[in-house]
Every structure is written in C-alpha cells, then in structure tokens.
Amino acid sequence: MNIFRLLGDLAHLASIFILVHKMHTTRSCRGISFKTQALYVLVFLTRYIDLLYTWISLYNFVMKVFFISSSGYILYLMKYRFRPTHDPSLDTFKVEYLVGPCFVLALIFNYRFEVTEILWTFSIYLEAVAIFPQLFMMQRTGEAETITTHYLAALGAYRALYIPNWIYRYFTEGTVDPIAVVAGIVQTGLYLDFFYVYVTKVLQGQKFELPA
Amino acid sequence: AGPPRAHDEL
C-alpha cells in the first residue's frame, strides 16, 4: 500500500458518499445515469468474486464488500426510492456496445483462460468504459448539477491516482500489470474532457455547462 | 506461475 493507492481508494469512497449524499439531499437521481451505475454493479460483482475463495487483508475485504453493497444500494435508490426523478429518455446509451466487446476482449486478452480470471479481466475493461452512458447523458443535456460534477471528479481521480501507484510499484516491487495499466490509462483518458471543464468552470464557481 | 496481476488492488 502506497500513498497514491490509498488516496485513489479514498477518492473512490468519497465519490460514492458524494453520490448518495446528492440523492438524499435533493431527493432525486436527476442527472445520474442508471446504466452507468448498473455497469458498476456488474464490475464489482465480476471483479470481487474472489471474496469467495481468497483472503488478502481486512482492508481489501472491507473495501470490496463496501463497493458491492454501496453500488447495489445506489441502484436500489434509483430504481425504487427516487424512481420518478429518473428520466430514461435521457439515458439512452446502448450498454450492449460496452458489455459485448469487453467480454470478447477479456476472452482474448487475459492472463489465464480461467473463468475467474476472465471475469476479472472483463471487469477491468468494463470499468474503463462504464462511464460512457453518464458522459453521453451529460453531452445530451449539456449541463450537470455541481454536486454531480464533484462525484465525477472524485470517481475520475480514483483511477488517475492508480497510475502513479503502478509507477511506484514498478520501481519498488518490479511488478507491472499490463491489463490494469492499459485499461486504467484509457479510463483516465476518458475523463480528460470532463476534468478540463471541471477545473476551468466548476472550481471557478461557475455552473458545469458544455458548449452547445 | 500466477498471472502478473496485483491481486491486492481494488
């Protein structure tokens, strides 16, 4: 565990707390893509299946259980508690365009051709692109609530912080995990546009608005 | 040999 990973994981935790806080305080899930949130449930379930047969550490166990349960809770909030505030006509990205190719890629590019390894690899690829429905939705509406942008900034920062962690681990442990690294760089890259607007507008006190 | 992936990462 190094400082970059710890900060990355804390950013990930923070993003979830921000999202739940947004939904509870505004009593709404407006501006949040249900599809992206559903993809995260799939990501966590396929990646953390090792909970059933491996013990790594208490930290690792608690975080995995938290990510699975909180992502399920978010889906519940969107699907039941705040359902009337969700507008499916804005959430139109086709997730099969993400899930299908990620699964095929996981079948081809993996470390071992085993069920759990393929599921892990699939989860890494899917996580990299799971934000697409959310970004697509914001592109359509051209705006986002400030709290939603804080959520996305924390979520993007999480994987971005894993990159210096991988560099650190390369120099201290000599290990490289090419699947995670390549997917992590792609994932972070997808946020660059968003980060630009976040830093130049939201952090200057302006509303998040995309040019028409 | 196991895969080169970091099993301890989230």
Side-chain angles (χ1 to χ4, degrees):
Chain A
M1 175 66 75
N2 57 65
I3 187 70
F4 304 110
R5 243 199 79 194
L6 182 63
L7 290 176
D9 290 345
L10 292 178
H12 199 183
L13 282 183
S15 74
I16 290 167
F17 284 116
I18 293 168
L19 179 58
V20 171
H21 177 259
K22 172 231 157 24
M23 291 203 265
H24 277 290
T25 51
T26 64
R27 301 201 51 75
S28 157
C29 54
R30 195 167 72 95
I32 304 296
S33 164
F34 180 83
K35 291 182 175 178
T36 283
Q37 297 305 320
L39 290 177
Y40 285 131
V41 173
L42 186 57
V43 164
F44 294 138
L45 286 177
T46 49
R47 186 174 311 167
Y48 300 154
I49 197 155
D50 64 355
L51 273 174
L52 301 175
Y53 57 89
T54 315
W55 178 265
I56 291 157
S57 66
L58 182 64
Y59 174 86
N60 192 275
F61 175 82
V62 170
M63 293 293 256
K64 284 173 175 172
V65 170
F66 176 80
F67 287 126
I68 291 173
S69 46
S70 62
S71 62
Y73 176 62
I74 288 164
L75 273 201
Y76 155 77
L77 288 179
M78 297 190 77
K79 191 89 187 152
Y80 298 99
R81 286 244 334 244
F82 304 130
R83 187 189 185 101
T85 62
H86 177 251
D87 186 354
S89 70
L90 293 172
D91 195 10
T92 50
F93 194 94
K94 294 236 180 313
V95 288
E96 45 276 45
Y97 295 163
L98 301 177
V99 175
C102 285
F103 190 70
V104 172
L105 277 179
L107 287 175
I108 302 169
F109 301 104
N110 54 61
Y111 293 134
R112 271 202 244 180
F113 201 80
E114 289 171 7
V115 173
T116 54
E117 274 305 305
I118 287 164
L119 288 178
W120 176 84
T121 313
F122 167 72
S123 83
I124 292 286
Y125 296 152
L126 188 61
E127 185 192 333
V129 294
I131 201 64
F132 265 124
Q134 177 67 52
L135 294 176
F136 186 71
M137 191 171 172
M138 284 160 60
Q139 197 67 246
R140 284 194 63 170
T141 58
E143 54 168 30
E145 290 169 59
T146 301
I147 184 97
T148 303
T149 66
H150 293 328
Y151 159 66
L152 284 169
L155 187 61
Y158 137 67
R159 217 54 176 175
L161 283 160
Y162 262 64
I163 296 172
N165 150 67
W166 291 320
I167 296 170
Y168 182 91
R169 293 190 84 164
Y170 170 71
F171 285 110
T172 55
E173 299 166 36
T175 54
V176 183
D177 180 338
I179 289 177
V181 170
V182 171
I185 290 170
V186 169
Q187 181 169 343
T188 303
L190 296 181
Y191 281 82
L192 291 180
D193 250 18
F194 165 79
F195 279 140
Y196 178 78
V197 182
Y198 183 72
V199 170
T200 58
K201 283 200 160 178
V202 180
L203 291 185
Q204 315 294 323
Q206 298 170 43
K207 195 173 160 35
F208 183 92
E209 272 175 327
L210 297 171
Chain B
R5 72 172 169 103
H7 284 263
D8 57 331
E9 289 187 352
L10 294 164

